[in-house]
Amino acid sequence: MNEWNTEEFGGLFTTVYRYPTYYDIEYVENGVPEIRGELLATNGMISDDYRFISPDTANNFPKVRLEIGDIVMSVRGTLGKIGLVKQGQEGSVITANLLRLSPNRSKVNSGWLLQMLLSQKFLGQLENVCSQTTIKTIQVPKLCKILVDCPPLPQQRRIAEILSTLDEAIEQTEALIAKMQQIKAGLMHDLFTRGVTRDGRLRSTREQAPDLYKESPLGWIPKEWEVEKLGVILRRCGGYLQTGPFGSQLHAHEYQTEGVPVVMPQDINDGLIDTVHIARVHERRANDLARHRMCRGDIVIARRGELSRAAAIIKSEQGWVCGTGCFLLRLGQSSLSANFAAYVYRHDFVQRQIVGRAVGTTMPSLNNSVMAGLYFLFCNKDEQARIVERLEGVERSIRVLSEGLLVTRQIKHGLMHDLLTGKVRVQQ
């Protein structure tokens, strides 16, 4: 790092300007875009969900008018909310609790500067320049005194190019995942209102073929389908619903890093059980909780907090424990397959019922009575299997993309440290 210079943060900019206090802002339908703190992300992007102020108001404060390459930083509240002004955002104005930073282009490249500001090293330094109040507020004079290691401009440009390429890959993957999620939502709606025939096709819509549908407590459904309350289904098939062990039955101090997983609400995500942070208990303790141990084909459901969490138990999860805050749903000889029932539970058909029936205000929760009264729809098991197969195909694609996104983020995180500290050199 011999050719790198150490500069004071404030010396990297031609303008370091905090939004002034002014009142009676006149918002208009079309005018000058106003950038607020909530439009700043933690990845350097600025959302375009603007409000607009009158040009006359904006012209009274020229120093808050942004130029391409400026950096906008939040100085109060959440640290690390930073955005780079890109083409199309020039001329916007900043609002309360934001700082305008105009780079000195003879010293720094805007792209490199953004990556440096988003680095863990710099974000950690921000903690040291905040006022000691309830809401963290960056003290700008102290911020300007932070020391920054700066490589020569050609190296800055190359570092920015490498990291921005990864940012573009991340953005593209995020956009693709969002698109796949929309496809999945539309597919779920079609599959649970029209179903899939034996030849693998969606039924014609009700508007096209009204004779294929009938009314039900959940609206119009294919005429071969049925709707019943969960309690009725369980009584008929010998299944049951039970809550996980209460706090007096299983204490937090009994959890360990190895052993039998204990599934809590936070472990259930997108119809799967995430084991990254899952609690575990010794096999002997799990045997003490035998009635709460789950079998393949069971469904584990969150009964408090985010009430749409549900997952069907697969072969590799056999014997895991249904934890505190969850229901264990055993379907017995039901007309419902576990995977299909878990999808139905997460669908709006059931979630709309839960919104109206959940108890509690601070944290909504479910009890056995509420669950027994929920209407479930079902069709024959062959059609259930076809529906599940369609949905699992989309979810597999989303998981592959998500795993790739995680890898790309990890690569970028490591490269940020190596390139921004000079541990790895780049060719100028």
Side-chain angles (χ1 to χ4, degrees):
M1 288 176 53
N2 293 337
E3 70 273 30
W4 287 36
N5 295 320
T6 300
E7 301 270 358
E8 287 189 347
F9 182 79
L12 302 178
F13 305 94
T14 57
T15 301
V16 178
Y17 192 77
R18 184 171 179 178
Y19 167 96
T21 301
Y22 59 80
Y23 303 93
D24 300 324
I25 298 175
E26 180 187 353
Y27 290 104
V28 295
E29 186 172 344
N30 289 297
V32 177
E34 177 194 61
I35 293 178
R36 312 180 302 282
E38 57 263 36
L39 302 188
L40 302 181
T42 54
N43 63 353
M45 301 291 289
I46 301 176
S47 168
D48 59 2
D49 186 19
Y50 309 120
R51 292 183 303 196
F52 298 91
I53 67 174
S54 69
D56 288 342
T57 301
N59 290 336
N60 289 332
F61 301 93
K63 287 189 176 181
V64 301
R65 300 293 292 267
L66 300 170
E67 298 177 0
I68 294 175
D70 280 355
I71 303 287
V72 180
M73 176 187 290
S74 173
V75 294
R76 191 169 188 268
T78 305
L79 302 183
K81 297 189 76 172
I82 296 163
L84 176 66
V85 179
K86 296 187 176 180
Q87 187 168 359
Q89 296 174 324
E90 67 272 20
S92 303
V93 299
I94 58 172
T95 188
N97 302 318
L98 295 181
L99 194 67
R100 176 194 175 191
L101 301 167
S102 298
N104 182 336
R105 299 178 191 276
S106 67
K107 290 185 177 182
V108 290
N109 170 270
S110 291
W112 171 84
L113 187 58
L114 177 67
Q115 300 293 344
M116 186 276 293
L117 295 176
L118 294 172
S119 68
Q120 290 299 312
K121 179 181 178 181
F122 182 79
L123 294 177
Q125 290 175 300
L126 290 183
E127 296 282 350
N128 301 324
V129 297
C130 288
S131 59
Q132 300 302 310
T133 57
T134 303
I135 300 176
K136 292 180 178 179
T137 302
I138 294 173
Q139 297 176 302
V140 176
K142 289 186 177 180
L143 172 68
C144 289
K145 293 294 184 182
I146 290 178
L147 297 179
V148 178
D149 293 323
C150 300
L153 265 173
Q155 287 189 33
Q156 291 182 30
R157 295 190 191 101
R158 182 64 181 136
I159 290 170
E161 181 183 323
I162 293 169
L163 295 179
S164 65
T165 298
L166 289 170
D167 283 336
E168 289 173 9
I170 289 170
E171 290 172 27
Q172 290 170 2
T173 306
E174 288 174 337
L176 189 53
I177 290 172
K179 183 177 181 180
M180 293 296 292
Q181 292 285 11
Q182 290 176 340
I183 290 172
K184 177 187 167 185
L187 183 61
M188 284 190 75
H189 176 269
D190 288 343
L191 291 173
F192 286 113
T193 55
R194 297 166 60 187
V196 182
T197 60
R198 290 180 180 177
D199 60 2
R201 298 171 181 248
L202 291 169
R203 287 179 179 80
S204 299
T205 64
R206 186 170 69 87
E207 290 74 20
Q208 294 168 333
D211 57 310
L212 298 181
Y213 295 87
K214 66 181 180 182
E215 285 191 275
S216 79
L218 298 179
W220 290 92
I221 60 173
K223 64 181 182 181
E224 300 91 348
W225 291 30
E226 299 296 335
V227 172
E228 287 185 329
K229 289 184 177 180
L230 180 61
V232 174
I233 295 172
L234 294 178
R235 284 195 297 273
R236 187 175 64 247
C237 71
Y240 60 86
L241 178 78
Q242 70 176 25
T243 59
F246 292 101
S248 58
Q249 298 173 290
L250 181 61
H251 300 281
H253 67 78
E254 298 178 87
Y255 297 141
Q256 54 190 44
T257 56
E258 296 182 354
V260 179
V262 179
V263 181
M264 306 291 190
Q266 64 269 21
D267 302 317
I268 308 169
N269 294 295
D270 296 324
L272 300 173
I273 298 174
D274 185 350
T275 59
V276 174
H277 302 293
I278 204 164
R280 298 171 186 268
V281 294
H282 193 279
E283 179 71 30
R284 290 193 302 272
R285 190 68 184 93
N287 288 335
D288 294 337
L289 300 166
R291 67 189 297 264
H292 299 291
R293 298 192 78 167
M294 298 182 290
C295 299
R296 181 181 183 181
D298 288 347
I299 302 173
V300 60
I301 299 171
R303 65 180 182 87
R304 64 188 184 198
E306 189 179 327
L307 301 180
S308 63
R309 297 175 186 261
I313 300 302
I314 60 178
K315 183 177 180 180
S316 62
E317 297 160 353
Q318 177 104 0
W320 291 11
V321 176
C322 172
T324 303
C326 290
F327 282 116
L328 188 162
L329 174 58
R330 185 158 292 169
L331 293 168
Q333 300 301 312
S334 169
S335 300
L336 282 165
S337 74
N339 288 322
F340 181 83
Y343 277 119
V344 171
Y345 180 83
R346 304 202 306 272
H347 192 277
D348 282 349
F349 281 136
V350 172
Q351 290 304 305
R352 283 197 299 267
Q353 299 175 64
I354 288 174
V355 169
R357 296 167 62 90
V359 297
T361 53
T362 304
M363 179 181 286
S365 61
L366 299 173
N367 56 38
N368 289 60
S369 175
V370 169
M371 291 290 290
L374 296 177
Y375 283 103
F376 273 63
L377 58 74
F378 57 95
C379 48
N380 68 66
K381 285 197 171 181
D382 285 340
E383 188 168 358
Q384 290 181 40
R386 293 194 292 271
I387 290 172
V388 168
E389 182 180 13
R390 291 275 192 98
L391 290 170
E392 286 183 341
V394 177
E395 289 188 334
R396 278 194 297 271
S397 297
I398 293 173
R399 283 198 295 273
V400 169
L401 288 170
S402 298
E403 289 166 2
L405 179 62
L406 178 61
V407 170
T408 306
R409 284 175 172 162
Q410 290 172 337
I411 291 171
K412 192 206 167 187
H413 179 77
L415 272 177
M416 282 182 75
H417 176 266
D418 291 346
L419 296 177
L420 294 171
T421 60
K423 182 177 179 181
V424 172
R425 297 295 185 90
V426 296
Q427 296 296 321
Q428 300 187 24

